[in-house]
Amino acid sequence: MSVRRFVGANSRDAMRQVRAALGEDALILSNRTTAEGVEILAMADDEHQRLVPEQAAAAPAPAPAPRPVQPQQSAPPAMPTAMPPGMRQPPAMPPAGFAAQRAAAYQRTQEDSAPPPVAAPTPAADFAALGELLLGEMQGMRELLNRQMTPTASADSGAGRLRQVLLLAGFGAHLCDEILAALPAELQHATVNDPAARAWLERQLAARLPVPEDENDLLDEGGVLALVGPTGVGKTTTTAKLAARYVMRHGSGQVALLSTDSYRIGAHEQLRIYGRLLGVEVQALPAEAALDGVLAQLAGKRLVIIDTIGMSQRDQRLIGQIAQLGGTGHPVRLMLLLNAASHGDTLEEVVATYQRAARAAGSRLDDCIVTKSDEAARLGPVLDILIRHNLRLHYLSSGQQVPEDLHPAAAPALVRQALAASQESPFVAASSTPGAPGQRLEALSRGLLGHGRAMAAALDGLRREVDGFALLEAAWQLAALPRSLQGERLAALLAASPPSNSGLLLWGRAGALPGQTWQMPLLSFDSLGRLQVRPWLAHQLPAGASARLEWAAQQWPQADHLLPASPDAATLRALAAQGSAWLAAAKGNSRVDYRGERYALQTLAEIAMPQASLHCRYRSHAVQLDLALLDVGLDASRERGQHSGPWPLQAWFGQLHDIDGGRPPQQRFWLASSATAGEEGLLQQQALLLRQLQSDDLASLTGRAWLSLEGLFDPLQAELRLFLAAGLAASASHLELAEGDWAMDVRAQLLSLAGGRRQRSAQQHLDALLHLLAARDTLRQVAGGAGVH
């Protein structure tokens, strides 16, 4: 029985491989999601047809199939006579023919699990069994292809507890679900008082709350500012507070106040009193009078603040008032005032009505001031409204004092204050599941807006924390150009982007990768050991290892080097001349000099001295790395030149142990050298070793991105495609290895955008990055770029 395993980036890719290898009639045995992607076990249809008659003719109690004999390992090379102390027994080598044994074991499992047949199966029985198997596999594939997001978490889970915190703070159920959809795996079992969970909630809310970067932007920009809002929200007092802040900053000569409230008794006089106290000009507009003439008289003022008539959101005259403000011939910036003490449903109705009125008048309503924050039991409802409607919050008003009780909005402090008020309330209702078509449509709309906010937050985090991601985004935009222009524009883009400061260079192997037509680009790390996104295409670098090292020394004089293989004599001389530390991956059969004799590294592993036991992530798994060290020499006699004898180096021997116990131990080898002697030099080499080990999957990630880009765009120019593939792979690796709060947040946001909760892995991050950038382009095309940057 010939069972074959296929692994693809997604189920469609895996099925394409099955059809290409086994044909359209292949029999699917199983499918599952792994860290590598989607795994499918399948066999050819003719193999199954040949198997059926064999089973029919089999005896009722067949003897078990003989297990494959383990091939014996060849004897290791002879060891030196004098063995240093600390010699250990050689580790068990992985058995040869492992893939064949796995297939055979799978066959035995299938045969052993079936009951002994009492008679040869009839064709009808075999057909029924086959049909049942196929139906089961089709159902499994359907579930795999239509994977849905996880339902709302139970109340006793970490997400459920955090959801209750948000609800009791006054935030709505829809915003709660949007935020908790991106809950990191590290916080799945968090408690209410967990500082990390509270900090994560604060970061998520603060990142979504629109506030200006500079509190003085509103007043410094000047222009005509109209305060609008319901009756009694505090427009007149807020007008005086804003004017007072402007006078304190710029003086009273360039500001004027204008009142259009001719309905409320004493409204004009109240504003005139504030004007006299501040020394600013005040104008009162009679009822039904046009604004054009008054604004023309005040054209010399840098800032004009209009105190408008207070109108309920249900007042039919509201549209006319907003239209009057927008039809003056002067640009008028609308500023909505919201009462923090109002019920959330009331605030929702106010914002929705005023924004519709502004759109109907051809204006925009994007700015807000929150009043009476000192009277509100909870700030959660008003912050929820601001987040969901994308209203930029400039100030909070908390009393009657002018101007002391007007405070610039600070998102982290506001969110912290809102969450501190989380307590039991008789008015917190459980969220309902959308049922009616109108409710489902509204839920879909909220979901799209939530995805847009999550995309914006993820992109902001990547641009801020990942060196070179903004350059990668700019290169991504070039894919929309005609293919004939892509290479030229990429070259111009890179020429205008000087290289970042790098402390470590990761060189790709010479020549094209197996099964590919391209060579792995050069990548770099910053001084803190974080992978940078900007790739250097190998075919654009100088030819020859020595020439490339000389070029690199001009770009980064202090950089160290990670090499894909043991260096030759010319490379050794160039590295020694630069005084750079370097580390090279080596194979077990690589031969080095030890005490005047040549040995394979795998032989010397038994006498190496233990050095350290480190914990790190390797290929998306938490591993323990046991390191041993031996001083050796590298023979370069064929190009020895002025150097006599082997080059003195350090050989490192590593045993990788999967902490979760899911994989057998792996043996790894490295050669290294550093100009710094002693313990400091060895620690430097260990740091280099970890960087190279953690970058071990960059080539496969680049290949995965290379294939995925083919399906996203029309045929890409080769250089642009490779630049994007390597940059995306570096971004995914950076995100996988980073351990800060920002990385935890961005990982969760990306995986929530991709759908459901998935295992943390570089492959999943790569797929999510592709999804993020492609979805952003789609939203830009549909919405003209609104809301997604």
Side-chain angles (χ1 to χ4, degrees), residues 219 242-251 254-255 302-303:
L219 300 179
L242 287 173
R245 291 186 69 89
Y246 185 89
V247 169
M248 294 171 61
R249 185 171 176 82
H250 299 289
Q254 295 297 315
V255 61
R302 185 177 176 184
L303 175 66

Side-chain angles (χ1 to χ4, degrees), residues 44 173 209 225 295 362 412 470 508 519 611 644 682 690 709 730 743 776:
L209 181 62
L225 184 65
L295 291 180
Q519 184 177 346
Q611 290 293 309
S644 59
L682 296 181
L690 285 178
L709 289 170
R776 184 201 59 179

